[in-house]
Amino acid sequence: GAVVSQHPSRVICKSGTSVKIECRSLDFQATTMFWYRQFPKQSLMLMATSNEGSKATYEQGVEKDKFLINHASLTLSTLTVTSAHPEDSSFYICSAGRSSSTDTQYFGPGTRLTVL
Amino acid sequence: GENVEQHPSTLSVQEGDSAVIKCTYSDSASNYFPWYKQELGKRPQLIIDIRSNVGEKKDQRIAVTLNKTAKHFSLHITETQPEDSAVYFCAASTIQGAQKLVFGQGTRLTINP
């Protein structure tokens, strides 16, 4: 199978602090990982594409200085929400595709961020 | 860029009946169309996908059809069961570059016993 993990599953933080979310592919290598944001009862909105060894590609309207992405290895990408505010509260989900595959993406379990 | 429209937003069917969810896409270059099932608070799970070189794919009670000319694809669930209740998302992507997915708005499917 293809397993993607995320950590932490839930995080509550105070406004102004930074939060790091990790996304790992456990049994395959992923040159590309994706970060999504999902509001309650809404669809998944792609935030950025994380490329191993290079800069992330951000979707229009997503602040790259606010959402820092690092993809330092073929199995790990991190998303850091800097200076979090209540409006950043959301469900953040990552996905990854096998390096040898061209399309199928597998999702992590998501991280629910609550900013007080 | 790609835009995916999904209908209906909610769907309620009697157990045992069939359910159909439809999606349209705008980018003719899109060539990969997955369907995901998401239960409350859980990750999206891939249930079936189709590539543009085929028109239909079936896996037990689930089938997907694709009409490239009309740029629409549909999910068909037969003999629905209560455990089919969830939110279903369609998506489209091009197998170029990063293969990023563009999702539809989602359909909340409820199976009534």
Side-chain angles (χ1 to χ4, degrees):
Chain A
V3 181
V4 177
S5 70
Q6 262 182 261
H7 179 80
S9 57
R10 291 177 180 270
V11 58
I12 301 173
C13 68
K14 293 182 179 180
S15 185
T17 61
S18 293
V19 175
K20 180 185 283 189
I21 303 169
E22 293 185 348
C23 177
R24 293 182 184 272
S25 55
L26 298 185
D27 55 355
F28 65 100
Q29 293 183 329
T31 54
T32 304
M33 292 184 174
F34 301 89
W35 286 96
Y36 295 85
R37 183 174 182 176
Q38 187 176 33
F39 290 106
K41 297 185 179 182
Q42 293 191 23
S43 188
L44 290 86
M45 183 193 78
L46 179 65
M47 299 174 66
T49 302
S50 174
N51 305 297
E52 188 266 335
S54 64
K55 292 183 179 181
T57 305
Y58 290 82
E59 294 300 301
Q60 190 173 8
V62 178
E63 300 177 59
K64 60 181 180 181
D65 294 331
K66 173 77 172 175
F67 300 99
L68 300 179
I69 290 172
N70 183 274
H71 194 155
S73 77
L74 286 172
T75 59
L76 173 65
S77 174
T78 61
L79 168 68
T80 301
V81 183
T82 62
S83 187
H85 291 285
E87 57 266 30
D88 298 324
S89 299
S90 189
F91 194 51
Y92 292 88
I93 313 177
C94 69
S95 72
R98 292 179 184 272
S99 299
S100 60
S101 174
T102 57
D103 44 41
T104 305
Q105 289 186 33
Y106 303 93
F107 282 84
T111 296
R112 184 159 303 283
L113 171 63
T114 303
V115 185
L116 303 177
Chain B
E2 176 65 277
N3 181 52
V4 178
E5 297 286 335
Q6 183 173 345
H7 299 281
S9 57
T10 61
L11 179 61
S12 182
V13 301
Q14 288 297 120
E15 182 179 355
D17 289 349
S18 296
V20 180
I21 303 171
K22 298 182 179 181
C23 288
T24 60
Y25 61 99
S26 61
D27 188 349
S28 57
S30 290
N31 49 16
Y32 174 64
F33 308 92
W35 285 89
Y36 287 87
K37 174 184 180 181
Q38 187 180 30
E39 298 178 3
L40 188 62
K42 301 287 184 63
R43 77 182 81 197
Q45 296 271 17
L46 179 70
I47 56 172
I48 196 166
D49 58 12
I50 192 167
R51 292 167 179 80
S52 59
N53 57 344
V54 297
E56 183 174 359
K57 183 177 178 180
K58 189 174 182 180
D59 182 4
Q60 300 183 348
R61 297 186 297 109
I62 296 173
V64 57
T65 59
L66 171 65
N67 183 326
K68 284 197 66 180
T69 302
K71 289 190 281 190
H72 67 70
F73 56 112
S74 300
L75 177 70
H76 304 253
I77 306 175
T78 59
E79 301 173 23
T80 54
Q81 302 167 3
E83 52 265 36
D84 294 330
S85 295
V87 178
Y88 291 80
F89 292 99
C90 64
S93 83
T94 57
I95 305 180
Q96 297 174 359
Q99 304 104 39
K100 64 181 183 181
L101 293 174
V102 176
F103 283 85
Q105 296 85 347
T107 297
R108 181 171 300 278
L109 175 63
T110 302
I111 307 302
N112 301 308

